[in-house]
Amino acid sequence: MKYLCQVWFEPSVLERMRNEERKKLDRDSLGYDEDLVESGHMIHAEALQSPKSAVTIRVRNGEVSVTDGPYAETKEQLGGFILIEASDLNDAIRVAAGIPLAKLGSIEVRPVYTFG
C-alpha cells in the first residue's frame, strides 16, 4: 500500500541551525532516502522551497483567486514529502520515524486513496 509521509517543521528551527548542522541534516536525509530505495520502500521524495515562494489557488463560482503563500494557522510548514510503499500502517510508521526531520518537526503519514 502507498503512504504519503508529509514532513512538517518550523522554518525557524532550520534557520537557527549552524551551517555544519544543516549540512549533516541534508546528508542524513539523503542517506535515509538511499536506504529507502534499497529496502524497496521509496517511490518518490522531494524537498519543497520555502512557503514564501508558494501561492494558494481557490476557485469559487467560476472565479479564480490567487494569494501569496500558504494559508497556515500553524508555525509548522510543509517542507517536503516522501511517497512510500509499505506493507501496512505499522510499517509506514516505522519508515516515517526514521526520517531525520522527525527529530525536529513532525511527519504526517497518510494512506493514498485508491479509486475503484
Side-chain angles (χ1 to χ4, degrees), residues 13 18 21 33 35-36 39 47 49 71 76 78 86-87 105 107:
V13 171
R18 293 188 323 267
E21 293 173 313
D33 286 354
D35 291 346
L36 293 179
S39 70
Q49 292 187 19
Y71 177 76
E76 285 191 330
L78 181 62
S87 58
I107 311 298

Side-chain angles (χ1 to χ4, degrees), residues 1-115:
M1 182 165 194
K2 292 179 185 172
Y3 291 87
L4 182 66
C5 301
Q6 298 177 50
V7 181
W8 295 85
F9 60 89
E10 288 185 42
S12 63
V13 171
L14 295 182
E15 292 166 5
R16 289 191 305 265
M17 293 176 89
R18 293 188 323 267
N19 195 36
E20 303 82 35
E21 293 173 313
R22 278 195 80 154
K23 286 181 180 179
K24 181 181 182 324
L25 178 61
D26 289 345
R27 283 191 309 272
D28 291 348
S29 296
L30 292 173
Y32 192 64
D33 286 354
E34 290 173 11
D35 291 346
L36 293 179
V37 168
E38 290 175 16
S39 70
H41 286 94
M42 174 67 76
I43 296 173
H44 189 77
E46 294 288 345
L48 299 174
Q49 292 187 19
S50 165
K52 295 174 187 172
S53 65
V55 296
T56 299
I57 310 300
R58 290 183 179 79
V59 179
R60 301 293 185 271
N61 300 317
E63 295 291 321
V64 177
S65 167
V66 180
T67 54
D68 291 337
Y71 177 76
E73 293 183 357
T74 178
K75 291 182 181 181
E76 285 191 330
Q77 302 289 323
L78 181 62
F81 67 89
I82 303 175
L83 183 61
I84 63 169
E85 183 72 37
S87 58
D88 57 26
L89 180 58
N90 288 329
D91 189 31
I93 290 169
R94 183 189 58 75
V95 169
I99 297 171
L101 274 166
K103 296 175 184 169
L104 302 173
S106 61
I107 311 298
E108 178 182 333
V109 177
R110 190 181 302 186
V112 173
Y113 182 79
T114 304
F115 290 91

